[in-house]
Amino acid sequence: MKRFLLAALLCSAVLSAAAQDVRIRVPYTRVVLPNGLNVILHQDRSTPTVAVNIYYLVGSGREKPGRTGFAHLFEHIMFEGSKNVPEGMFDRWLEAAGGNNNGSTNTDRTNYYETVPSNALDLALFLESDRMGFLLDAMSPAKVDGQRDVVKNERRQSYENRPYGMAYLTLFEQLYPKGHPYSWPTIGSMADLTAASYDDVVNFFKDWYVPNNAVLAIAGDIDIEQTKKAAEKWFGEIPRGRNIPPIDPVAAYLESEKRLVMEDNVQLPRLYMTWHAPGVFTGMDATNDIMASVLAGGKNSRLYKRLVYDLQVAQDVSAYNYSMRLGSIFIIEVTARSGHTLQEIEKLVQEEIDRIKRENPTEREVQRAVNQYEASFLARLESVENKADQFNNYFQFTGNPDFFNEDLFRYKAVDADDITAAAKTFLHNDKRVVLSIVPKGKKDLAATYTQEVTKQ
């Protein structure tokens, strides 16, 4: 039996060492067209499908005060037809070919993507190129007004009329000074959406939706040389736009703690505690991700186990590090159980924050969080859609589409000392925004507050 155990341990050690040496290989070819469009190509013949993913490096952070919501508005307008694609046919043609598509917008970029059978690659490239080069030929004030109304309804449904929906809009307003690119929401304000003229919208498109401000990733069942020619064929004639200046890094910090309460149509009170953190891929960004997992990632995490499982004072708890270019936000969010106040919840959360500042987490806790991250990271690489998106994301922030190993190493290098240091560095008790959202007429359930915020 001893010989068997020894052999098993040796085998385990060898496998572990081998696993540590494994490097992820996601080969790619990058070309830059004369008009400045970056094209990233990756061959994966595991299934006869292709993912086409395009990033326009414009998100809500590139908008101007008083003219917000434009990047997200274009996420809608881009599906309204272009010079050679009649209104309604973008989706219809793709679906007829067996494909699907969508788009998304955040503070730093807008993203459009399709997944199609490999024999429909040219269709996907034609559709994307037509709206990049010839959207304005088909755009009209009526179409803009129609999508403006759609976005306003989306804002009502997703924020104003949704329980807890105004939380993040309020937190961003409080965390960032007026005029900071992250102080307004990606969906924009009702007033700005209403005030935008047709010329404002046209000029925004001319400024930002140009090949030299875009990255096109094509991943899947492709021939590299043929696909390179296809990209040149469909996108090569689109003229280059103005030179895009780098975004000014605007400092954002809190001079003191802000404590707010908002009444809402909710059944249970919810607590939000938020801090500024380093931007994506900088400083201790990865460490903060691991710290969030130690605190609230899974049922064995510190906050979940204590608040939800042991004491049963909370309905749910989460913590995460929302990473963005100009700076990130570290967030702890807890929904109280019926009969419990947010003052009681905050006291328990604060005890765990103080503990992680005072004592290193155990090696087991850190390893669990790193393993969870690594498993999720590797799982995402199983699909061509995710690989195409990741190429663009890495290129956007690091200039290197093949940042896979460096990214994963950031997490595998985190140790217990790093987490304690991150907690001491960023989770200041006197530089944070603490927001209580409580049922209407139940402000007695809130954590201590100094300011009331009215739901708009």
Side-chain angles (χ1 to χ4, degrees), residues 194-216:
T194 301
S197 70
Y198 181 67
D199 285 343
D200 288 336
V201 178
V202 168
N203 290 332
F204 190 82
F205 182 84
K206 288 179 178 176
D207 277 348
W208 299 105
Y209 295 79
V210 291
N212 49 303
N213 193 43
V215 191
L216 170 68

Side-chain angles (χ1 to χ4, degrees), residues 272-424:
Y272 299 84
M273 302 173 77
T274 54
W275 297 262
H276 284 295
V280 61
F281 297 119
T282 68
M284 303 180 87
D285 177 53
T287 304
N288 285 338
D289 284 339
I290 298 301
M291 178 167 65
S293 184
V294 168
L295 286 171
K299 294 182 178 178
N300 290 313
S301 61
R302 294 184 172 199
L303 288 172
Y304 188 94
K305 184 173 185 307
R306 188 171 181 199
L307 275 66
V308 178
Y309 187 75
D310 290 341
L311 300 178
Q312 300 188 16
V313 298
Q315 190 81 10
D316 55 58
V317 55
S318 61
Y320 51 95
N321 183 46
Y322 185 68
S323 297
M324 300 175 285
R325 179 186 292 276
L326 301 180
S328 306
I329 300 174
F330 191 89
I331 303 166
I332 296 175
E333 181 180 322
V334 189
T335 308
R337 277 201 170 197
S338 180
H340 296 276
T341 70
L342 296 184
Q343 195 164 8
E344 177 186 3
I345 296 289
E346 185 185 0
K347 178 176 179 297
L348 295 167
V349 173
Q350 188 61 52
E351 287 176 3
E352 292 302 328
I353 292 172
D354 292 342
R355 185 160 75 100
I356 207 166
K357 289 180 185 175
R358 189 175 62 244
E359 304 167 6
N360 279 4
T362 66
E363 292 300 324
R364 186 182 181 86
E365 285 180 294
V366 177
Q367 198 57 55
R368 176 189 62 79
V370 172
N371 288 347
Q372 284 180 344
Y373 181 83
E374 184 174 12
S376 170
F377 180 92
L378 295 176
R380 290 198 300 273
L381 297 184
E382 291 180 357
S383 80
V384 292
E385 293 90 344
N386 288 339
K387 282 193 285 188
D389 187 73
Q390 199 64 67
F391 276 128
N392 276 345
N393 190 51
Y394 286 148
F395 185 75
Q396 172 194 199
F397 288 119
T398 72
N400 175 16
D402 183 15
F403 199 70
F404 294 92
N405 289 292
E406 291 85 348
D407 188 13
L408 183 57
F409 181 76
R410 295 189 306 144
Y411 292 88
K412 298 179 81 166
V414 173
D415 63 22
D417 289 338
D418 295 332
I419 292 173
T420 299
K424 289 178 179 175

Side-chain angles (χ1 to χ4, degrees), residues 41-52 114-122 125 217-228 230 383-385 387-388:
L41 307 170
H42 167 68
Q43 186 183 70
D44 177 349
R45 294 195 183 277
S46 57
T47 61
T49 59
V50 179
V52 174
E114 297 84 31
T115 303
V116 295
S118 45
N119 62 3
L121 173 60
D122 271 318
L125 295 179
I218 306 170
D221 180 24
I222 60 171
D223 176 275
I224 296 294
E225 290 305 315
Q226 288 179 6
T227 307
K228 195 186 302 180
S383 80
V384 292
E385 293 90 344
K387 282 193 285 188

